[in-house]
Amino acid sequence: MTTPLRVALVGLGTVGSGTFNVLNMNADEITRRVGFPIEIKAIADLNVDKARELAGPGVEVSNDAFALVSRPDIDVVVELIGGYTIAKKVVLAAIEAGKHVVTANKALLAVHGDEIFAAAEKARVMVAFEAAVAGGIPVIKAIKEGLAANQIEYVAGIINGTCNFILSEMRDKGLPFADVLAQAQALGYAEADPTFDIEGIDAAHKITLLSSLAFGVPVSFSKAYVEGITKLTKEDIEFAEQLGYRVKLLGISKRTAAGVELRVHPTLIPARRLIANVEGVMNAVLVKSNAVGPTLFYGPGAGSLPTASAVVADLIEIARLKDAPLDSRTPVLAFQKDRIAQSDVLSMDKVETAFYMRLKVDDKPGVLAELTQILAKGHISIEAMIQRQANDESNTAEIVLLTHRCIEGDVNKAIAAIEALPTVHGSVARIRVEDLS
């Protein structure tokens, strides 16, 4: 039998323990697929006692990750500690030592991916990261391999389960954001500090990686537009329902003649779309390609075993290809290194979408005419409108507008002009709309 693939597991949290369990649970099946076993040779974790209890005899346990990555009896280092600092040092040390790397660390790759991929290219080792985006959904392999014959037009994903749970509960139960966030924290779906999730940062890390894979461009997280869900109200979600839409936090990247769009924000999606009906903590990624058309990838975006499934799939790929010539391996960003194209990331004021707007106005003649005049001046046409009387005695009304597609910069100017009107109270709530056809 061929020598086993020898793995050092760095980090034994939720995903690390899941990876250990999947490798043991499915050891026979994995060996049948690869031709030889994949074995955890050593584990590094700060909680040594807990790691020893899980690993049992036969697996060396240490609290020193750097001592493991340079050992000659290790073929692959699996980094599952997260964050930007220690994780980056571990990954680069492993690459320098000639080890292949598997990671689930989307934040690390979104911020430092170009440096890490360049180091791996120089060392002639592989970096695999299926688990970094959408948990157990094999969307990265689908884009790199299954859709390789296509020119991809756009990628749009529900890629943060915490936000999707919150928005689903707000719609189903009519609860405000703060109440549902507290519920998500109590259930373990949201961290004690949920900032990365609810402000869209986690989704931006993931769509940055998908954008690079889809369009063959450098990793550009710093250029992404990021807007979270904290300003959404239950009223906006109710109005969206009346208009035939659902509100989802989407990560979106599109190819345009002027550059690549890279953005995360709440989005109205027609309720008839499959992706609009993805509920709870589930994830889904919609990829539109010029040959196959739209394909939807759906499944659990987090969790111990689903994410571990993706980690182990990467280990299987490395086991099959570790002795293959460099040019016969699938490129890390799906395109050949010399074909990674510098491409402008479009600023949001140049992006074209439709818009939902909600505003409170004086309930008197001429107000609507003022609004439509401002919108017409900005080349913004109205597709639908709802007007609802205020529930108090303020003699005001709430107006909801749905526009046709228009340029965001024009919308920003129009909203500023509308908010300056004496008949308009407070700020204009606005949410972008995507048809995703």
Side-chain angles (χ1 to χ4, degrees):
M1 181 180 291
T2 305
T3 303
L5 185 77
R6 301 162 300 180
V7 177
L9 189 59
V10 180
L12 204 63
T14 300
V15 179
S17 59
T19 299
F20 186 91
N21 289 332
V22 168
L23 281 169
N24 281 280
M25 177 174 65
N26 295 333
D28 290 343
E29 194 77 358
I30 291 167
T31 300
R32 287 179 64 207
R33 293 180 185 274
V34 178
F36 49 87
I38 297 176
E39 295 181 355
I40 301 292
K41 185 80 173 175
I43 295 173
D45 193 87
L46 293 177
N47 192 335
V48 173
D49 292 337
K50 179 183 175 182
R52 284 202 179 104
E53 182 180 350
L54 175 68
V59 179
E60 182 177 337
V61 176
S62 168
N63 62 2
D64 186 355
F66 294 97
L68 297 187
V69 301
S70 59
R71 283 174 37 169
D73 60 341
I74 296 296
D75 303 306
V76 185
V77 173
V78 178
E79 181 277 306
L80 299 172
I81 55 179
Y84 302 103
T85 51
I86 299 299
K88 180 184 177 184
K89 293 177 181 178
V90 168
V91 166
L92 289 176
I95 290 171
E96 186 177 358
K99 314 302 182 185
H100 304 291
V101 170
V102 174
T103 180
N105 195 335
K106 66 273 183 179
L108 174 65
L109 295 182
V111 175
H112 300 294
D114 288 338
E115 178 185 353
I116 289 168
F117 299 148
E121 176 82 16
K122 182 178 179 181
R124 303 179 72 82
V125 298
M126 290 177 277
V127 175
F129 52 95
E130 183 67 61
V133 179
I137 306 172
V139 66
I140 289 178
K141 283 184 173 61
I143 292 175
K144 289 174 69 172
E145 299 172 20
L147 296 173
N150 289 256
Q151 178 172 290
I152 293 174
E153 298 174 15
Y154 69 75
V155 180
I158 297 170
I159 44 182
N160 183 274
T162 300
C163 288
N164 202 50
F165 173 82
I166 290 172
L167 295 176
S168 297
E169 291 291 293
M170 288 176 71
R171 181 179 69 84
D172 287 346
K173 299 178 181 176
L175 296 173
F177 170 81
D179 290 359
V180 181
L181 173 59
Q183 179 186 348
Q185 289 172 315
L187 292 169
Y189 295 149
E191 303 286 346
D193 179 1
T195 303
F196 261 44
D197 293 321
I198 63 176
E199 294 295 352
I201 300 167
D202 174 77
H205 287 146
K206 295 168 182 175
I207 194 62
T208 295
L209 295 175
L210 292 179
S211 179
S212 293
L213 292 164
F215 306 122
V217 296
V219 178
S220 304
F221 171 72
S222 62
K223 299 178 182 179
Y225 174 83
V226 187
E227 178 184 327
I229 63 171
T230 57
K231 296 179 182 177
L232 289 175
T233 67
K234 61 179 183 177
E235 289 80 14
D236 291 322
I237 291 174
E238 290 168 2
F239 276 124
E241 286 284 308
Q242 291 181 46
L243 291 162
Y245 290 82
R246 301 273 171 85
V247 182
K248 298 292 183 182
L249 182 76
L250 286 188
I252 300 172
S253 188
K254 291 186 178 182
R255 184 199 303 267
T256 75
V260 172
E261 297 177 10
L262 184 57
R263 47 193 169 98
V264 171
H265 50 71
T267 310
L268 266 68
I269 310 168
R272 66 185 181 275
R273 299 279 181 251
L274 282 174
I275 195 170
N277 293 279
V278 173
E279 301 292 351
V281 295
M282 302 302 280
N283 280 198
V285 180
L286 177 63
V287 184
K288 177 74 177 296
S289 307
N290 68 340
V292 75
T295 50
L296 183 68
F297 302 88
Y298 168 86
S304 178
L305 295 186
T307 309
S309 169
V311 172
V312 175
D314 280 340
L315 286 172
I316 290 171
E317 180 182 12
I318 288 173
R320 289 168 170 166
L321 296 175
K322 66 184 179 69
D323 297 323
L326 187 64
D327 58 4
S328 68
R329 301 170 183 167
T330 303
V332 67
L333 288 180
F335 292 78
Q336 295 298 323
K337 176 189 172 185
D338 60 349
R339 299 301 177 93
I340 297 295
Q342 294 292 335
S343 180
D344 291 334
V345 174
L346 223 56
S347 63
M348 279 305 293
D349 63 349
K350 295 179 181 177
V351 170
E352 181 182 85
T353 67
F355 280 87
Y356 158 101
M357 302 182 197
R358 177 176 56 82
L359 57 157
K360 190 175 183 181
V361 300
D362 289 337
D363 187 14
K364 65 180 185 181
V367 173
L368 191 57
E370 287 181 315
L371 298 177
T372 54
Q373 185 177 11
I374 290 172
L375 293 173
K377 185 177 179 182
H379 312 290
I380 303 164
S381 61
I382 298 172
E383 179 181 338
M385 185 182 74
I386 298 174
Q387 181 171 333
R388 184 169 70 183
Q389 205 69 25
N391 293 326
D392 52 31
E393 297 179 356
S394 61
N395 199 32
T396 60
E398 202 161 30
I399 293 176
V400 172
L401 303 173
L402 203 62
T403 77
H404 290 285
R405 292 181 69 83
C406 47
I407 302 299
E408 176 134 347
D410 293 336
V411 172
N412 292 338
K413 293 175 185 176
I415 286 177
I418 288 170
E419 290 177 342
L421 293 173
T423 52
V424 174
H425 301 267
S427 58
V428 176
R430 59 100 175 264
I431 307 173
R432 298 164 188 89
V433 182
E434 289 286 352
D435 186 72
L436 299 182
S437 57

